[in-house]
Every structure is written in C-alpha cells, then in structure tokens.
C-alpha cells in the first residue's frame, strides 16, 4: 500500500472509531459489537505502529472514550480514569504474562482474575466516612458530577460508620476514593420492562444502556426507582502522603470491609495456564449470574509491581481484559417483517423462534438492509446463528445452509411501502429502500417521536403508543400541530384526563425553551444528529439564518462535509419543510434571534447550563462579581442561599454555614481550584497515572 492510501485508511478508522465512541459513551446506543469495535481499533493500532509518523495524540487509540454530558457539572479526577487493553486470544494472555515478567525482571508474579462487569464506570469519594462526590468516567480526566444520583444506590452507603476505621486499621485516611462499575441486575431489568410495558412505555433496550441512561437522569426519584447495583474494584487514599493498599487483594478486602459491594469471584494464579483455568470457570458461570459480564480482568496483584509497570495514556500495563466472544445461539427464522422509519427507510426485521441468548430471550433481530440479506443469503425458514455482541441488538451472523429443506424463501425487496402502500424508491448509494410518501403514517409517527425525544424538544408524555393514537384520531399530523392542541381535545382521549392533558400541554409549552441546538436537532433534518446540530447552533443565530445557509458555507464548518451540507440545504429548499418551519415560528418554538443564547456564553454547552449555583467563602483568584459573571456566561444562575434546588456550591476559603447546609442537603460542592477548571480558567493538572 502506498503512503497516501495508508493515511486515508488511518483517518477513516479514526473517524469511524470516534463515531462509535460517541454512540457508546454519549448516547448509550452502540451499533456494533465490542468485538467489531476492538477489531477496528486493533487495525488502527497496527497501522499506527507500522507508521509512527502518522500517529496522533488525539487518535482514539491514545484516548479513553468520553461520556461527558453538558447537563452535569464536571470535576477533575483525582487520578486519570483509564481503560484496559483487550484480548480475545489465550495466546495474548501468555504474551501478557511473559511481558510482565520480563518488564519486572521477576519470575514470581502473582496475578488475580475477576469478572469484567459490563456496566458503567463510577468513582466515589468518601470524606470522614461520608459520601462526598461521585463522578462518571467522563473523558478519563474530568468526570461528570452525579453525586445526587449515586446517593440513591442502596449499595453505596452515605455513611460508613465504624466500619471505616475497622476496615483500614489505625492508618485510616480521612479521604479516599473507590472505583467500580454500576449495573442493572438482570432480574430487575426484566421487572422494569414488565412495568414499562404495562404503562405503554417503550422497553429499555438492554441493561448497560439503561444503566448509563439512568445515571444521567436529572430526576433523582427516577434513579432511585430503577434500583441500580454496583461492584467496586479499586480503592486509594486521597490524603496527602497516604499509601495505597499493598495489593489488589488487600484493596478488595478493604472494600468489602467498608460494606461496599465487592465481587466474590477473585482468584489468583502465577502462570498463564492458571489464569486461563479461572477465565474458563468464569465463562461457565456467566449465564447464572444476575449481571452481564463481558470477560475477565487479569491484574498484577502487588501494588509495588503495578507501579513499576506503569501505564500508557490509555491503559495500565499491569492489567488485561480477556473478553469472551459474543454469545451465539441457533434458532429458526420464522418470518421477515418490514419496519418503516422516520426517514422512510424500510428495514427488514427477522422474527425468530424465541431463543435464550446471554441471559435474555431473543425473538427479533435486525437484518439491516437487502444488500446485507443477499450477501448472507438469508431466507425465511432458514436455521440461523444469532449473536449478541455484549449489549447491542441481536443480529444474524450466518445461516446454516446444511439445514435447508428446499422450502426456504428469499424475501425480494418491496416495491410498495408496507404501511401506506405507495411505491418505494431505492437509494443506490445508501443501499436503502425508502418510502417517499411524506404522509406515510409510519414516517409521520417516526418524525413525531423524533421531535418529542429527549435530545430534541423533550416532550414528555408523547412516548410509546400515544403518537399512533394522536395520528389515528387526526389530532396531529406533524410536530407543528402539537402547538395547537387543546385541553378539551386531550382530556377526552381514552386513558387520558385533565391532569394528563395539562401535563402534556405544559411539556409542549416548555419546548420553546429547549436549547437552540436541541431545537435544530428536533427538526429531523437528514444527516443532522446531535453533534451536527450543536455545530449549526454555534454558527447560526436564528432559524432564518440557518435556512439561508449555502452548501459552501456549511461545508466549511467543522465536521460537516459536502454530503451533509447538501442534505441540509436540500431539506431547507423543500416547500413542505418551509411551511412546517413557518408554523413552528408562529407557535413560538423559534425566536427572533437565538443568538442571545448562542453568544451569551454558549449557555447550553456551558459547564453550568441550567444550574443554580451558590458562591460562598472567599475566592483567592478573583472578586466575587467576576465569578458570578463566569457562572452566568456558562449558562448558570447565581443565588444567595443554599436550598434543595441549589445544584452546586462553590466554596472558597473560610466557607461557613452555607457550606455546612450544602453538605447537609447533599448539594455537590466544588472548591476554588475545581471551579477554575470548570470555567476553563485553569488547565487540568495531570494526576499520577
Ligand atoms: S480494573 C485502569 N476491574 O472495564 C482501569 N475494570 O475496559 C482499571 N471494568 O475501565 C480497571 N470490570 O470500567 C477493572 N473487575 C474490573 C472491571 C473493570 C469492569 C471496566 C472498567 C474499565 C473497563 C476497561
């Protein structure tokens, strides 16, 4: 391969991995399996290794994926929160053991083996035996503050009581941090979905995504109701000069002694064969556990040796995640049904004979498109192998042609929309078949759902089956009709009353106050996802300005290429879409100038977006009115006294009663240094690796 080709492949891989990181960490909705992700990452690593001149600091191989979310304040981690190197191959376990021995220059190394919990990483700090702050991984350097949500977890005690000194012994540190994984138990997950079905709500797709979503919920009561669980596997003191536990086994002993959940499976081995035996045992136990694991974690036990081995920017050299291949099951493909999405794309869906796969029953799998179906030669009646890569929607890996009887039927691509019956069009470059009828009920429902979604206009009460009912009854056809709904119309609907009507109307009325970027996203412009909508919001200060944008101008913006630019201008030129926008303008959903918001310090993306903040004590680096201005520029509001509705307290030196009140109410508190970091006045200092 010539150099230019390699450069292109590297760039392509980086872009693709970045996109999958975003889907996984930010949107909790991965579209490929871990195994597929790891294969892409491995390929990129190989290319970068062979061509060091093409390496880059911001490559996904050098960075931990980010789950940062602007709705939560963020704080620097006490030490970077890294990831682990992955492997699927026993030979790599052997290579790992050899490398560790060689790097340490010691033959005698004790390794531990424990489950790799498929959940969401969490760091919790305790101060004087009391829960102080809880952070997500964020980008590995700064995490989002989710203390209030974590306080609702039954297994994460607010107060450690006597156990605290007992567990540590005489040298108990005043402050320490534990890290682990939050998850949703499988039984609890199934129970929640039964309750959701009874309420007409969409089911939660899988436990890991549900956990990520729950931790980022703004409604603390809802977090408590979900019933999350946790396992901790790391502990270190934060007191200056205090020493870390001597070994991983010791830290696990302290964690359990503190009354924090520690996984009971912790084995030791001194060679690769011993490690593999434990990993196999763990794999056998996998289906009997009440939580999902995606592999085992191998660690060097002694802290002294861990320190000698050190870490790369992304992962410690003392650990390795051995991942189990995606779970597979064999079943029969009973039928193929067609789903029509909001853009009109028709997706074939496999209806399967229900089969147990990695702890859940699978009865449907996506077939993506006809290209894919033809490539795999999938026919109705086939015996198929289904896989679930960790936590994504199951899919068909391959058919078993040896089981064919001759009666199996391939499904030809449709010529008519299965919902409205109008002729379809195939989209050669996107391998998609599309219903182009703008009034197709499936398309209308999809668009309305998109408009009402959490990242868009966030209209609660319009989820699940209600959209179809509204369309059926002719109450609405598109989102602009929502603004004309009345209490009288709604209150008489089956299952509705005045209360639910008022709730929906209030939620619709609030839509006009959603961040400018969320309102752009809500329009469902082809190719415009959350990230592109943010870019557009930063560069255009009103809907009129956006409607006037040209292809050349748009293509200049970061992350927008000619294809996306043309999709945007194409949509804007559509007369039906223009009429829709005019209606939304009349309803007050768009304002004369959104720039107020866009310019007043990027309120929506700011570190204090939507937060009520209290300043207390003396700040050393700036007068109080400057601190106030910084908070307001970051989208926050400053008030004088601490109450339950305070979101954050910034405590300077000699902070007194307000700080005490904040602690009592469990309001997150940051010190001056953290405040400077949040406001971008100071670079984040690197912690020890
Ligand atoms: S130790 C420096 N132990 O898997 C990171 N991690 O893919 C040390 N995880 O970032 C982490 N179970 O979020 C460790 N028993 C376990 C784990 C575990 C799950 C997660 C963790 C980590 C990720 C790496």
């Amino acid at each position: 391969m010539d150099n230019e080709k390699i450069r292109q492949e590297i760039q392509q891989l980086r872009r693709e991995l970045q996109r999958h990181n975003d889907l996984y960490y930010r949107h909790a909705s991965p579209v490929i399996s871990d195994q597929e992700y790891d294969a892409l990452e491995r390929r990129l690593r190989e290319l970068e290794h062979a061509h060091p001149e093409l390496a880059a600091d911001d490559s996904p191989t050098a960075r931990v994926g980010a789950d940062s979310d602007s709705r939560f304040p963020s704080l620097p981690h006490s030490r970077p929160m890294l990831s682990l190197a992955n492997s699927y191959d026993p030979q790599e376990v052997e290579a790992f053991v050899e490398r560790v021995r060689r790097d340490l220059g010691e033959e005698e190394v004790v390794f531990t083996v424990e489950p790799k919990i498929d959940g969401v990483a969490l760091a919790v700090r305790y101060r004087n035996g009391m829960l102080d702050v809880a952070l997500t991984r964020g980008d590995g350097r700064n995490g989002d503050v989710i203390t209030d949500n974590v306080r609702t977890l039954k297994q994460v005690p607010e107060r450690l009581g006597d156990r605290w000194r007992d567990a540590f012994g005489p040298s108990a540190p005043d402050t320490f941090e534990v890290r682990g994984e939050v998850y949703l138990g499988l039984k609890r997950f199934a129970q929640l979905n039964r309750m959701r079905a009874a309420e007409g709500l969409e089911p939660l797709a899988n436990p890991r995504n549900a956990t990520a979503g729950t931790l980022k919920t703004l409604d603390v009561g809802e977090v408590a109701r979900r019933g999350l669980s946790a396992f901790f596997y790391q502990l270190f003191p934060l007191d200056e000069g205090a020493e870390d536990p001597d070994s991983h086994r010791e830290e696990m002993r302290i964690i359990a002694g503190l009354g924090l959940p520690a996984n009971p499976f912790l084995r030791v081995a001194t060679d690769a064969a011993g490690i593999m035996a434990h990993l196999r045992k763990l794999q056998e136990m996998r289906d009997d556990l009440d939580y999902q694991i995606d592999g085992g974690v191998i660690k060097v036990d002694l802290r002294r040796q861990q320190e000698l081995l050190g870490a790369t920017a992304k992962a410690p050299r003392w650990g390795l995640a051995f991942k189990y291949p995606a779970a597979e099951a064999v079943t029969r493909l009973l039928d193929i049904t067609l789903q029509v999405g909001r853009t009109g794309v028709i997706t074939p869906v496999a209806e399967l004979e229900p089969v147990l796969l990695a702890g859940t029953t699978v009865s449907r799998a996506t077939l993506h498109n006809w290209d894919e179906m033809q490539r795999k030669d999938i026919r109705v009646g086939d015996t198929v192998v289904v896989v679930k890569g960790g936590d994504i929607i199951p899919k068909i890996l391959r058919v078993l042609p040896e089981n064919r009887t001759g009666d199996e039927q391939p499904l030809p691509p449709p010529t008519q929309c299965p919902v409205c019956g109008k002729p379809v069009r195939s989209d050669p470059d996107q391998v998609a078949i599309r219903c182009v009828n703008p009034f197709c009920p499936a398309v209308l429902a999809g668009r309305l759902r998109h408009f009402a979604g959490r990242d868009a206009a966030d209209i609660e009460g319009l989820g699940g089956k209600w959209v179809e009912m509204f369309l059926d009854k002719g109450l609405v056809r598109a989102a602009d009709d929502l603004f004309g709904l009345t209490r009288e119309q709604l209150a008489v609907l089956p299952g509705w009353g005045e209360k639910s009507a008022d709730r929906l109307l209030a939620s619709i009325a609030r839509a006009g106050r959603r961040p400018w970027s969320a309102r752009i996203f809500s329009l469902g412009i082809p190719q415009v996802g959350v990230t592109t909508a943010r870019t557009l919001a930063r560069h255009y200060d009103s809907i009129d300005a956006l409607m006037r944008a040209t292809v050349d101008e748009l293509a200049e913006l970061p992350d927008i290429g000619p294809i996306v630019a043309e999709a945007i201008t194409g949509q804007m030129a559509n007369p039906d879409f223009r009429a829709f926008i005019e209606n939304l303008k009349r309803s007050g959903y768009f304002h004369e100038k959104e720039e107020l918001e866009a310019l007043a310090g990027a309120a929506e993306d700011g570190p204090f977006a939507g937060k009520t903040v209290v300043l207390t004590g003396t700040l050393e680096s700036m007068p109080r009115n400057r601190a106030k201005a910084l908070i307001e520029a970051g989208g926050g509001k400053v008030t004088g006294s601490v109450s339950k509705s305070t979101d954050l307290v910034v405590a300077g030196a000699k902070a007194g009663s307000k700080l005490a009140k904040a602690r009592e109410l469990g309001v997150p508190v940051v010190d001056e240094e953290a405040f400077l970091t949040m406001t971008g006045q100071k670079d984040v200092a690197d912690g020890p690796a």
Side-chain angles (χ1 to χ4, degrees), residues 66-229:
D67 67 12
S68 322
D69 180 328
S70 62
R71 297 170 308 144
F72 291 85
S74 79
L75 272 182
H77 281 300
S78 50
R79 303 179 186 186
M81 221 163 154
L82 301 179
S83 174
L84 284 168
N86 280 331
S87 149
Y88 292 87
D89 180 354
Q91 277 186 358
E92 289 179 24
V93 172
E94 234 165 87
F96 169 74
V97 168
E98 282 316 309
R99 203 205 66 216
V100 165
R101 284 185 182 149
R102 195 185 57 231
D103 288 357
L104 290 173
E106 289 178 56
E107 281 300 307
E108 292 292 296
V109 182
V110 174
F111 296 90
T112 58
V113 178
E114 67 197 66
K116 180 160 170 12
I117 313 296
D118 193 8
V120 177
L122 175 72
V124 184
R125 293 181 202 160
Y126 279 91
R127 182 186 294 274
N128 297 323
M130 300 279 289
L131 195 161
D132 189 24
V133 179
L135 299 178
T136 65
R137 180 202 306 279
D139 63 3
R141 308 219 154 245
N142 296 283
D144 287 351
V145 178
I146 52 164
T147 317
D148 290 348
N149 286 351
V150 171
R151 282 185 207 281
T152 69
L153 269 63
K154 284 215 184 65
Q155 292 175 317
V156 184
E158 176 69 35
R159 204 182 280 274
L160 295 171
D162 296 337
R163 282 178 301 208
W164 164 42
R165 294 208 182 272
D166 294 347
F168 279 104
S171 58
D174 289 337
T175 50
F176 65 87
E177 177 161 328
V178 280
R179 289 182 178 178
E181 208 79 359
V182 182
Y183 67 92
L184 193 54
L186 294 176
K187 283 205 199 76
R188 180 69 191 144
F189 175 72
Q191 192 181 27
L192 283 172
N193 271 346
R194 279 196 300 275
M195 292 184 335
R196 291 178 72 89
E199 289 169 38
L201 295 170
E202 290 281 321
L204 303 166
N206 62 61
R208 201 206 75 91
N209 294 359
T211 305
T214 305
L215 285 176
K216 291 292 181 73
T217 299
L218 293 172
D219 175 354
V220 176
E222 180 59 25
V223 182
R225 273 190 294 282
R226 292 273 173 99
L228 295 173
S229 306

Side-chain angles (χ1 to χ4, degrees), residues 323-387:
K323 299 235 224 157
Y324 302 130
E328 287 185 10
V330 175
T331 187
R332 260 178 36 99
L333 175 57
L334 302 176
D335 197 5
I336 296 174
T337 53
L338 304 179
Q339 235 169 34
V340 185
R342 82 179 154 87
T343 56
V345 172
I346 302 172
T347 309
V349 178
E351 306 291 339
L352 306 166
E353 199 168 281
V355 62
L356 199 65
L357 180 60
T360 51
T361 305
V362 171
S363 51
R364 304 185 93 195
T366 175
L367 292 168
H368 299 293
N369 53 52
W370 270 268
D371 256 27
E372 163 117 350
M373 242 161 65
Q374 273 156 13
R375 203 152 35 79
K376 294 184 175 166
D377 188 23
I378 296 171
R379 307 180 191 176
V380 175
D382 264 336
T383 307
V384 294
V385 180
V386 281
V387 281

Side-chain angles (χ1 to χ4, degrees), residues 388-408:
K388 205 157 67 163
D391 53 10
I392 57 158
I393 341 160
K395 64 179 186 186
I396 292 184
L397 189 64
R398 59 176 192 276
V399 302
L400 299 176
E402 60 272 28
N403 289 10
R404 281 196 174 143
T405 61
D407 293 338
E408 294 75 15

Side-chain angles (χ1 to χ4, degrees), residues 21 64 74 169 196 205 245 268 659 668 673:
N21 277 339
V64 177
S74 79
R196 291 178 72 89
V268 295
L659 176 59
E673 201 167 296

